[in-house]
Amino acid sequence: MSEIKEILLQLLFSLTPFVLYNIYYRNLEVNYSRRFIIFTCSFCLILSMTFPLSVQDGLVFDVRYVIIFFGILFGGVTTGFILLVEFIIFRLYIGGSGTLDALIILAITFPLSILLSSFYYKIRKKYWITFIAGISFSIIPIVVLYITKPDYILSNVTFNILAMPVHNCLGIWLLITLFNKSVTDKELYLKFIQNEKVETINQVAASLAHEVRNPLTTVLGFLKLIRANTLGWEKTERFIDISIEEIHRTEQILSDYLSISKPLATFHQHIDLVVQLKTVVEVMTPYANMNNVSLEASYPAAPVHITGNPTEMKQLLVNFIKNAIEASADMPKARVSIQFLQHLRRVQLEIQDNGVGMDEEQMSRLGSIYYSTKSTGTGLGLTFSYQAIRSMNGTISVKSELYSGTVFTISLPLA
């Protein structure tokens, strides 16, 4: 029974990179790095070698081959050599009668790991590489030990036949399969987040074209009047002032639009939520007008400071307001209202619409990746928004009824 526990413990060590990846990169807008692979593999290698599986003093078994192969596969050959040096130093420190055997086995398995990893990204059926690696890392140690220590192999046949395949075959298959799935999902998530953002910007750009055209038409008309030279100096000066104001308004509209389209940053700072919301409302008002939706917002007199990423904050506000506008577009007297509420050390931002609403099942799945209540949506806009709110130590709640509207309440801690 103790041997089974130790085998399961080694499998847990082999899955540690996958677990740490899902914890560390869950809310980050980037994928894994080689530094992350080096750190996690080094940590797992030390753990597995510190708590090894053994049935005879001096001969220890762990998931070293799994970790080193995984490190080479996802971190490159440099990562593999770092793990190799780490293993040699620590194995010499542990010592025992199996030290020389361990170094001989690694002298065979390490070049094999580099060779297999080079084929992994070249062939279509990658599971064959995983299968060959698992079988090879199970057979090679047994063969080497049978040559150097035949008595040990013959007296522990059952253990070696069971422990090696479970450690290496199952360990490699689980780790690489699960890690690959997580990395692929993360890449799709990042790609769709970018596409969702581009789509939102394109739609807002279409509405901004109408908003920008109005002041440009005004300026053009005044310039023609001034050019005709039929006005007095007072009217000419007044028309010039109005034209300058319209140009400044156009410049502000474009600046607000560009501030939303900036790429996401990873740092947080003190930001005024009132200023952020005013900017987004000004940008989204033309889009609301195009959909015959009234967009209203009430602002507190004093600034409301929170800690967060200003670009992420603007983007998530755009996502919620855009969704509210689209949900209300087909309703009579369509309306979207936004208001602030403050309670103790938190601020609540309520975004309410009188749109089509949602049922209980739809509300429970909001924020899930690839789920959307719109036939053409991916749901990744809300997925990003939910993660951004959590990254600022905030919470999000929703109340909705079918054909009675929806209220999203974003709660954030004050700075």
Side-chain angles (χ1 to χ4, degrees):
M1 183 63 68
S2 62
E3 292 175 358
I4 295 177
K5 290 181 179 179
E6 291 176 348
I7 290 174
L8 293 176
L9 181 63
Q10 289 296 320
L11 283 177
L12 176 62
F13 291 151
S14 69
L15 292 177
T16 303
F18 162 74
V19 175
L20 293 177
Y21 172 82
N22 283 279
I23 293 173
Y24 181 73
Y25 284 96
R26 180 180 179 184
N27 294 323
L28 297 182
E29 299 302 318
V30 293
N31 218 328
Y32 74 92
S33 64
R34 189 171 70 174
R35 183 181 299 177
F36 171 81
I37 297 296
I38 293 173
F39 172 79
T40 53
C41 288
S42 299
F43 176 69
C44 296
L45 188 60
I46 293 295
L47 275 181
S48 66
M49 294 177 68
T50 304
F51 305 98
L53 176 62
S54 177
V55 291
Q56 181 175 316
D57 290 340
L59 292 172
V60 294
F61 299 92
D62 47 54
V63 289
R64 67 190 71 163
Y65 312 117
V66 176
I67 298 299
I68 292 175
F69 178 67
F70 172 80
I72 295 172
L73 197 60
F74 291 94
V77 177
T78 304
T79 302
F81 277 107
I82 293 173
L83 297 175
L84 176 64
V85 172
E86 177 187 357
F87 167 77
I88 293 173
I89 294 173
F90 199 64
R91 189 64 185 87
L92 291 174
Y93 169 77
I94 294 174
S97 60
T99 303
L100 181 60
D101 300 312
L103 296 177
I104 293 173
I105 295 169
L106 196 63
I108 301 172
T109 57
F110 186 78
L112 180 61
S113 297
I114 295 176
L115 180 63
L116 291 175
S117 64
S118 66
F119 283 113
Y120 184 84
Y121 294 104
K122 294 179 181 178
I123 68 172
R124 186 174 180 181
K125 297 181 179 180
K126 303 183 186 306
Y127 58 84
W128 280 112
I129 299 297
T130 306
F131 175 75
I132 293 171
I135 294 296
S136 300
F137 299 153
S138 300
I139 293 176
I140 291 172
I142 295 176
V143 172
V144 171
L145 287 174
Y146 183 76
I147 294 172
T148 59
K149 294 179 174 58
D151 293 339
Y152 163 77
I153 293 293
L154 294 176
S155 59
N156 297 282
V157 173
T158 304
F159 169 79
N160 288 289
I161 290 177
L162 293 178
M164 289 293 184
V166 170
H167 273 183
N168 298 307
C169 294
L170 187 58
I172 285 178
W173 179 74
L174 283 174
L175 176 57
I176 293 179
T177 302
L178 294 175
F179 191 83
N180 253 330
K181 181 68 168 61
S182 295
V183 168
T184 302
D185 285 347
K186 188 72 173 183
E187 289 175 350
L188 287 174
Y189 167 73
L190 296 175
K191 181 179 178 181
F192 277 112
I193 281 294
Q194 188 62 32
N195 290 342
E196 181 87 1
K197 187 174 181 180
V198 170
E199 181 185 351
T200 300
I201 291 172
N202 288 339
Q203 293 177 352
V204 174
S207 61
L208 282 177
H210 294 277
E211 189 74 5
V212 171
R213 188 178 291 115
N214 291 334
L216 291 180
T217 302
T218 301
V219 171
L220 180 62
F222 285 156
L223 288 176
K224 287 181 178 179
L225 289 173
I226 293 171
R227 186 179 183 181
N229 202 21
T230 58
L231 304 171
W233 172 247
E234 290 184 2
K235 279 192 174 182
T236 299
E237 191 175 42
R238 182 166 169 267
F239 286 169
I240 291 174
D241 290 339
I242 294 174
S243 297
I244 292 173
E245 290 177 2
E246 292 296 303
I247 291 173
H248 285 162
R249 187 163 73 90
T250 303
E251 183 182 18
Q252 185 61 46
I253 292 171
L254 294 176
S255 297
D256 292 340
Y257 170 70
L258 290 174
S259 68
I260 290 178
S261 64
K262 287 179 181 177
L264 295 179
T266 57
F267 65 91
H268 282 190
Q269 64 187 52
H270 282 199
I271 55 177
D272 186 349
L273 187 56
V274 177
V275 173
Q276 297 285 312
L277 181 61
K278 285 182 178 179
T279 300
V280 173
V281 168
E282 288 176 1
V283 170
M284 295 304 297
T285 297
Y287 185 67
N289 294 337
M290 287 182 63
N291 288 276
N292 298 317
V293 176
S294 172
L295 178 59
E296 304 169 354
S298 59
Y299 307 101
V304 177
H305 289 103
I306 62 171
T307 301
N309 185 303
T311 308
E312 289 182 2
M313 192 70 232
K314 287 179 182 177
Q315 183 62 43
L316 73 89
L317 288 174
V318 168
N319 289 340
F320 280 111
I321 295 173
K322 177 174 174 286
N323 287 344
I325 291 171
E326 292 173 350
S328 310
D330 296 329
M331 306 298 290
K333 297 182 179 179
R335 178 178 57 84
V336 174
S337 62
I338 308 165
Q339 61 178 338
F340 281 86
L341 298 172
Q342 290 195 40
H343 179 67
L344 298 178
R345 293 294 302 165
R346 299 184 73 86
V347 59
Q348 292 183 341
L349 193 63
E350 288 190 353
I351 303 174
Q352 182 174 6
D353 65 69
N354 62 344
V356 294
M358 294 175 287
D359 57 29
E360 291 289 339
E361 181 185 358
Q362 290 173 320
M363 285 190 290
S364 66
R365 297 181 63 186
L366 285 177
S368 301
I369 190 167
Y370 308 136
Y371 175 75
S372 174
T373 58
K374 297 180 287 186
S375 59
T376 59
T378 63
L380 290 166
L382 275 187
T383 303
F384 161 79
S385 301
Y386 273 53
Q387 291 192 349
I389 291 169
R390 284 195 292 267
S391 72
M392 293 184 282
N393 298 318
T395 59
I396 177 77
S397 62
V398 56
K399 295 180 181 178
S400 183
E401 292 183 9
L402 286 175
Y403 308 108
S404 298
T406 302
V407 180
F408 280 96
T409 303
I410 302 170
S411 177
L412 298 169
L414 293 171

